[in-house]
Amino acid sequence: MSYLGNKPTAVPLTSSDIQDGTITASDIADSTITSGKIASGVIANQSAFKNIIINGDMSIAQRGTSESGVTSSGYKTCDRWFIDNSNMGTFTISQSTDVPTGQGFATSLKYDCTTADASPSAGDVIWLRQKFEGQNLQYLKFATSNAESLTLSFWIKSNKTGTYNVALFGQDSAPTAQYLTKEYTISSANTWEKKTITYAGNTANGFDNDNARSLDLVFSFGNGSTYTGGTLQTVWSDYGTNADLFPTQGVNIADSTSNELFVTGVQLEAGTASDFEFLPHDINLKRCQRYLYKIHGQSGDQVIIPGATLVMATTNTVYATVPCIVPMRAAPSTSCASGATEIMLQNASTPTMGSFGQFDNSSVGQNNFYGCNHSVSASSGTPFTAGNNGGTLRTTSGVLTGFTYDAEL
Amino acid sequence: MITRVEKFYHPEKVNVVASYFVTYENGEVWSVPLDEANTDYQAIQEWISEGNTVIDNPPE
């Protein structure tokens, strides 16, 4: 080829030389682009279990789907969600089917104010909290220069519009527990809104690598003057002035019995926001059962306690070992509703199956992550043969509550 | 809120406390293991530090 003047210099083509939309997928041959050509971090948040929150879709409610008359703090209805309430109104907390349309959610957590408190005492709060184990947070690389930022996403709906605060509260005392608060606004009454909030990583303080509580996510839905009116900190800060914790919280959902608030689709993840991670029901349940394991019957049914083994220690005492369905966070506390569970034994001296005693809360002190050993006394007489094994534990017919194992944070 | 705590002795081992029986204000009774990672155990320690007394009836 001949040229007029100098021969043009060949210049490599760069991506900026290509007009957007010029190259379509059909222009690229199948299997042409390999994973090695994709820069690290370009495709974010594709890993399983990216959501630090457990039960963010409020689908698991082992304790029950509704609790009325809530005036104090504790775990109410939806698993893993701790309700902070220090006499700031009275609420019914429930698992609701009111959800944002077309987003894939089936349930939400609902606050329904049933007794108002428009003038709360200084230290009163109505908060929603989830607590996290430190060993599950190590990958965030806090306390290093590579600390990951965190993005919180959630859907919320309330008749109470205005400014709300939501914070990450560090819980490990060494070197110093720190917190970072953000604010968001509910703009339209009674309308589902999606909020996305980013928290910088904490390069100074990290998390203990153990099964204890290291970080809390805390939503304020109202609080007394102790916790508000201060200055919104823009960086991770030491606990100091309580008024700085939720300084711009302008709403109190306890101020009228007309108030309702719903929340679902809560996701806290490293890096930028991504679609909510829906987990299969069984996986979600097992993640919750690390903290609470509840075995109960259905109305009219009896349920055999899975895997329980019984040993007759004396003529009127049986040791019953009940395994946990998944290893629990710590040795759990145990409870059994009165009369809810009975022991059924095949006893050498009493070959007919029968109910010999009702399970109580006794424990022989060998509870651990994997199971619990219980001491069960016969309801009357000496029906057992010491040294014999066998039998079953089961819930009593028609009883909806049975064993509860609790290892919550 | 905790209203009552009682030591539960191991049925076979002599003078070995196996767990605590805890009664709450709502009437629920729980068996709490002697595990410092258990938050109910932590709450009992706080309850004791506030001046409350654990009922201790060792088997004879």
Side-chain angles (χ1 to χ4, degrees), chain A residues 30-203:
Chain A
D30 290 347
S31 305
T32 304
I33 299 175
T34 62
S35 59
K37 297 296 183 184
I38 302 173
S40 174
V42 171
I43 300 176
N45 301 344
Q46 297 300 306
S47 61
F49 304 111
K50 64 186 178 184
N51 193 357
I52 296 169
I53 302 286
I54 296 175
N55 198 28
D57 61 357
M58 313 296 178
S59 61
I60 306 297
Q62 293 186 82
R63 294 175 179 83
T65 56
S66 182
E67 184 168 337
S68 60
V70 173
T71 58
S72 60
S73 300
Y75 289 94
K76 323 281 184 184
T77 70
C78 294
D79 277 49
R80 302 281 16 260
W81 290 102
F82 186 89
I83 308 296
D84 279 294
N85 186 358
S86 55
N87 293 308
M88 190 158 175
T90 305
F91 285 84
T92 295
I93 306 295
S94 63
Q95 182 191 48
S96 171
T97 55
D98 190 329
V99 293
T101 303
Q103 300 300 321
F105 300 106
T107 48
S108 63
L109 178 67
K110 177 182 178 182
Y111 283 72
D112 181 7
C113 182
T114 56
T115 302
D117 183 0
S119 300
S121 300
D124 287 356
V125 304
I126 181 74
W127 296 344
L128 175 64
R129 183 189 301 255
Q130 187 159 136
K131 307 170 187 177
F132 310 107
E133 293 178 57
Q135 62 191 358
N136 288 339
L137 304 172
Q138 300 301 309
Y139 72 98
L140 297 177
K141 303 185 284 283
F142 274 32
T144 77
S145 58
N146 294 323
E148 299 270 4
S149 62
L150 287 166
T151 299
L152 172 68
S153 308
F154 58 96
W155 287 86
I156 193 163
K157 169 183 166 180
S158 177
N159 60 301
K160 293 287 288 182
T161 59
T163 302
Y164 290 71
N165 287 179
V166 56
L168 291 173
F169 284 179
Q171 299 293 330
D172 291 318
S173 57
T176 305
Q178 293 188 318
Y179 73 98
L180 182 57
T181 303
K182 297 285 185 174
E183 64 180 17
Y184 65 94
T185 302
I186 294 183
S187 305
S188 302
N190 304 312
T191 305
W192 279 104
E193 299 177 15
K194 184 177 183 182
K195 307 299 175 186
T196 302
I197 295 167
T198 299
Y199 295 83
N202 189 340
T203 57

Side-chain angles (χ1 to χ4, degrees), chain B residues 37-51:
Chain B
N38 182 293
T39 53
D40 293 319
Y41 179 82
Q42 294 167 7
I44 292 169
Q45 300 310 306
E46 188 175 335
W47 183 79
I48 293 170
S49 70
E50 292 169 354

Side-chain angles (χ1 to χ4, degrees), chain A residues 30 89 119 169 177 189 210 238 273 277 279 352 356 372:
Chain A
D30 290 347
S119 300
F169 284 179
D210 58 24
D238 295 351
E277 180 182 49
L279 297 177
T352 304
F356 290 96
C372 300

Side-chain angles (χ1 to χ4, degrees), chain B:
Chain B
M1 181 182 294
I2 295 172
T3 59
R4 183 177 187 273
V5 179
E6 181 175 2
K7 291 179 181 177
F8 174 73
Y9 281 83
H10 196 289
E12 290 184 322
K13 299 177 183 175
V14 177
N15 281 333
V16 172
V17 177
S19 58
Y20 287 124
F21 276 1
V22 183
T23 305
Y24 292 92
E25 198 172 40
N26 63 3
E28 289 186 2
V29 179
W30 287 75
S31 173
V32 177
L34 309 181
D35 181 353
E36 293 182 357
N38 182 293
T39 53
D40 293 319
Y41 179 82
Q42 294 167 7
I44 292 169
Q45 300 310 306
E46 188 175 335
W47 183 79
I48 293 170
S49 70
E50 292 169 354
N52 296 292
T53 303
V54 175
I55 297 169
D56 187 2
N57 290 318
E60 296 176 356

Side-chain angles (χ1 to χ4, degrees), chain A residues 309 318-323 334 359 361-368 371-376 405, chain B residues 8 31:
Chain A
T309 56
V318 169
Y319 290 170
T321 302
V322 179
T334 61
F359 191 89
N361 289 313
S362 304
S363 168
V364 294
Q366 295 169 357
N367 295 358
N368 62 27
C372 300
N373 291 336
H374 304 278
S375 169
V376 188
Y405 292 175
Chain B
F8 174 73
S31 173

